[in-house]
């Protein structure tokens, strides 16, 4: 059994060690992440963009999230896995949210769910899910499922009224019973202020270094998208060039009769 309190310790700030989270969507990468010692995996609805080629996360369905989460669980049986609830799987009603979260937990074998926002309806859903035994990770700041409201992927919390709103949302999410909360695209000073004001671990993406941990999208982290270079992203390898050159070499060797050689033949 994967203990949420061991991975996301509550009320122990500053943490002895910060929490390293990566997104993942398939079995093979999940195996690598677990073997490399990642603290936690997020099966994010970002799969709509980086796996499916959609322009946003909005088209992703609940069944698609479960499909990918099951593959990740098979690859990382010992890692704490959180799964995003996709757009309109929890916002319509409290009952829909409970039903969607329960379906994900039952069918994927994940350890927790994550969803966006900090309004009254979201706080009630967090409270209800916690009471029936479903751990919840919150998400505030730039919430991709609301990107059309924000007018694009813009930093949140610059204005004083937004700063106060985000502070209140984070406190509400914590008080409702969430075990952690993601801060996306908010100023680092504000992220530090909010993080120090709540007892649950905070995970940043584009929120500076004052959070209790970080999360990155795996394909961005590996440098697979040559067109995506936000300021907050650090790529840890030039994955695209490596794959590109490997494919070019393979095609050339096949055309020239170099592959397969005698050593590759029965």
């Amino acid at each position: 059994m994967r203990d949420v309190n061991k991975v996301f310790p509550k009320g122990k700030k500053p943490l002895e060690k910060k929490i390293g989270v990566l997104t993942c969507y398939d079995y093979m990468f999940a195996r690598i992440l677990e073997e490399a010692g990642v603290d936690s995996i997020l099966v994010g609805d970002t799969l709509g963009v980086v796996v499916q080629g959609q322009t946003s996360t909005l088209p992703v369905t609940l069944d698609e999230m479960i499909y990918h989460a099951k593959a990740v669980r098979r690859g990382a049986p010992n890692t704490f896995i959180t799964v995003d609830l996709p757009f309109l799987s929890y916002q319509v009603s409290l009952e829909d949210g409970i039903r969607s979260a329960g379906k994900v937990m039952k069918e994927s074998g994940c350890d927790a769910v994550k969803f966006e926002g900090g309004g009254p309806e979201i706080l009630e859903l967090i409270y209800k899910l916690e009471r029936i035994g479903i751990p919840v990770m919150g998400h505030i700041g730039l919430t991709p499922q609301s990107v059309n409201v924000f007018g694009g992927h813009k930093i949140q919390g610059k204005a004083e009224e937004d700063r106060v709103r985000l502070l209140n949302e984070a406190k509400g999410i914590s008080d409702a019973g969430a075990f952690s909360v993601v801060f996306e695209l908010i100023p680092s000073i504000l992220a530090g202020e909010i993080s120090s004001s709540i007892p649950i671990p905070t995970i940043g993406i584009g929120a500076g270094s004052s959070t209790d941990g970080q999360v990155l999208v795996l394909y961005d982290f590996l440098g697979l998208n040559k067109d995506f270079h936000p300021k907050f992203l650090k790529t840890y390898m030039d994955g695209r060039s490596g794959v590109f050159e490997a494919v070019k070499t393979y095609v050339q060797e096949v055309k020239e009769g170099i592959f397969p050689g005698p050593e590759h033949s029965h």
Side-chain angles (χ1 to χ4, degrees):
M1 183 66 181
R2 297 154 295 271
D3 186 352
V4 62
N5 294 309
K6 288 185 177 180
V7 183
F8 298 90
K10 181 179 180 180
K12 297 182 179 180
K13 297 188 179 185
L15 300 185
E16 184 177 338
K17 293 182 179 179
K18 295 200 174 187
I19 304 165
V21 184
L22 283 168
T23 69
C24 188
Y25 320 99
D26 65 74
Y27 166 81
M28 194 59 70
F29 270 127
R31 283 188 63 184
I32 296 171
L33 265 56
E34 177 161 290
E35 291 171 7
V38 71
D39 291 312
S40 181
I41 290 173
L42 171 64
V43 184
D45 58 2
T46 42
L47 68 87
V49 177
V50 299
V51 176
Q52 297 177 346
Q54 309 280 4
T55 57
S56 75
T57 64
L58 300 185
V60 179
T61 68
L62 190 67
D63 285 339
E64 287 170 341
M65 293 303 306
I66 292 170
Y67 171 87
H68 286 274
K70 288 166 70 175
V72 172
R73 172 49 79 207
R74 286 191 287 268
N78 302 307
T79 303
F80 192 93
I81 296 174
T82 303
V83 178
D84 269 338
L85 295 187
F87 183 59
L88 288 187
S89 68
Y90 61 96
Q91 295 101 327
V92 175
S93 69
L94 181 64
E95 291 74 19
D96 274 355
I98 294 173
R99 190 175 298 110
S100 295
K103 181 178 174 68
V104 168
M105 295 288 289
K106 287 179 66 174
E107 296 186 16
S108 75
C110 72
D111 302 292
V113 297
K114 180 175 80 66
F115 43 85
E116 301 175 359
E121 299 86 358
I122 294 298
L123 300 185
E124 184 180 8
L125 178 57
I126 294 172
Y127 179 85
K128 291 285 189 182
L129 291 177
E130 287 292 322
R131 295 310 177 275
I132 62 176
I134 299 179
V136 177
M137 174 182 278
H139 185 153
I140 63 172
L142 189 281
T143 45
Q145 292 176 15
S146 303
V147 67
N148 292 325
V149 175
F150 293 135
H153 292 79
K154 300 177 180 179
I155 296 176
Q156 305 297 306
K158 287 185 173 182
E160 177 61 19
E161 62 181 325
D162 292 329
R163 185 192 74 84
V164 172
R165 174 180 57 81
L166 290 174
L167 183 60
N168 290 335
E169 286 182 354
K171 288 182 176 178
I173 288 170
S174 177
D175 291 343
F179 68 86
S180 179
V181 58
V182 171
F183 297 164
E184 182 167 358
L185 278 185
I186 68 175
S188 57
I189 293 177
L190 176 58
E193 178 186 359
I194 300 174
S195 187
S196 64
S197 72
I198 58 176
I200 61 174
T202 58
I203 306 298
I205 177 167
S209 60
S210 297
T211 54
D212 301 306
Q214 298 291 325
V215 61
L216 285 175
V217 172
L218 181 64
Y219 292 4
D220 299 339
F221 162 92
L222 295 176
L224 294 175
N225 186 353
K226 67 176 182 177
D227 300 319
F228 188 65
H229 300 286
K231 182 178 181 180
F232 68 81
L233 175 63
K234 178 178 180 179
T235 54
Y236 284 77
M237 65 179 290
D238 187 1
R240 184 186 184 279
S241 293
V243 173
F244 182 85
E245 292 302 324
V247 173
K248 279 187 65 177
T249 301
Y250 164 74
V251 172
Q252 182 178 352
E253 288 190 357
V254 170
K255 290 182 181 297
E256 294 177 0
I258 298 173
F259 176 81
E263 69 275 26
H264 305 117
S265 303
H266 296 287

